[in-house]
Amino acid sequence: MPILSLLLVDDHPLVEVALEAALQKSAYPWQLTSVADDVHAMRCLTERDFNLVILDIGLPQVDGLQLMKRMLRHYPALNIVIYTAQEEDVYARLAQNSGACGFVSKGQPMARLIAAVDAVSQGERFFPQWLPHPFPTESHEQPVLTPKELQVIGLLAQGLSNLQIAQMLTISNKTVSTHKNSILRKTGANNLLELAAVYKELQQ
């Protein structure tokens, strides 16, 4: 069996140590390369082919989801598993919608990350069971919102109520609700916390 190449992008050295040990239990032989930031990650991807990338989206220097999108723009066939301490109920969906092949929380045993590595290596997806599968036609690009919807999502992200938004934008409460439902449908967000995360993504 050929040795597969894995790129770990994480700024915590202990993660590399733990992953290297855990990979011994993988169904595949792996050669691990580890970097701590986006600059070295992109450099590695230009220098050689990797079968899989494990990416922490909580990197201090850069927005991790934006880094993943940049990787996928340059290398559309790249398999990326998100491994992070960020809130699973928000970021698992965002990772899936942005093109990740899997998502594992750092609060889970390392064995689950290895299960994700093996599953993705077999062409499968690996996300929390509560997360529904995306539609086959779903785009990994950012959702296209109208100018008014962008105004509304910005105000919703600030914690304003429908009534407050209606008063600020001089529109009816019903119109705000219509915009809000359209935003939720386009972004896949389920609550205000997810909407705030989506709004942050749109500002990048």
Side-chain angles (χ1 to χ4, degrees):
M1 183 180 297
I3 297 177
L4 303 180
S5 56
L6 190 158
L7 176 63
L8 171 67
V9 187
D10 195 299
D11 63 321
H12 296 95
L14 289 179
V15 173
E16 178 187 2
V17 175
L19 177 59
E20 192 162 26
L23 283 172
Q24 302 301 316
K25 297 181 180 179
S26 170
Y28 301 90
W30 291 96
Q31 180 180 9
L32 177 63
T33 301
S34 179
V35 296
D37 57 54
D38 58 317
V39 174
H40 288 91
M42 295 306 296
R43 183 180 302 164
C44 282
L45 291 175
T46 62
E47 292 175 350
R48 57 179 294 194
D49 294 330
F50 285 90
N51 300 98
L52 180 66
V53 173
I54 295 177
L55 172 62
D56 179 7
I57 56 173
L59 296 172
Q61 311 95 331
V62 66
D63 184 293
L65 287 177
Q66 289 301 315
L67 173 57
M68 181 180 73
K69 291 177 181 179
R70 195 193 326 163
M71 289 178 172
L72 291 173
R73 279 198 300 270
H74 290 281
Y75 310 98
L78 192 62
N79 292 320
I80 301 177
V81 172
I82 299 301
Y83 184 55
T84 184
Q86 304 281 1
E87 299 92 337
E88 178 180 292
D89 57 346
V90 175
Y91 286 92
R93 186 186 307 278
L94 288 174
Q96 183 187 66
N97 291 344
S98 298
C101 295
F103 182 99
V104 179
S105 169
K106 284 188 175 180
Q108 297 175 326
M110 183 62 70
R112 184 161 177 82
L113 179 59
I114 300 305
V117 167
D118 287 348
V120 172
S121 299
Q122 296 170 18
E124 301 173 7
R125 296 293 182 263
F126 195 95
F127 288 93
Q129 292 184 349
W130 57 263
L131 187 63
H133 293 293
F135 295 110
T137 57
E138 183 172 0
S139 171
H140 297 318
E141 297 298 321
Q142 290 182 332
V144 178
L145 303 181
T146 67
K148 185 63 71 176
E149 287 170 350
L150 288 172
Q151 280 185 298
V152 172
I153 191 176
L155 295 172
L156 286 170
Q158 295 175 34
L160 274 65
S161 68
N162 285 17
L163 183 58
Q164 289 173 314
I165 295 172
Q167 292 171 343
M168 288 187 66
L169 301 181
T170 61
I171 57 178
S172 70
N173 193 20
K174 183 178 179 180
T175 300
V176 174
S177 296
T178 300
H179 285 312
K180 184 177 179 180
N181 290 335
S182 177
I183 292 167
L184 292 172
R185 176 179 55 80
K186 289 181 179 180
T187 63
N190 286 323
N191 51 52
L192 287 177
L193 188 60
E194 292 186 9
L195 272 180
V198 170
Y199 181 69
K200 179 183 175 183
E201 282 290 299
L202 292 173
Q203 302 310 297
Q204 301 295 325

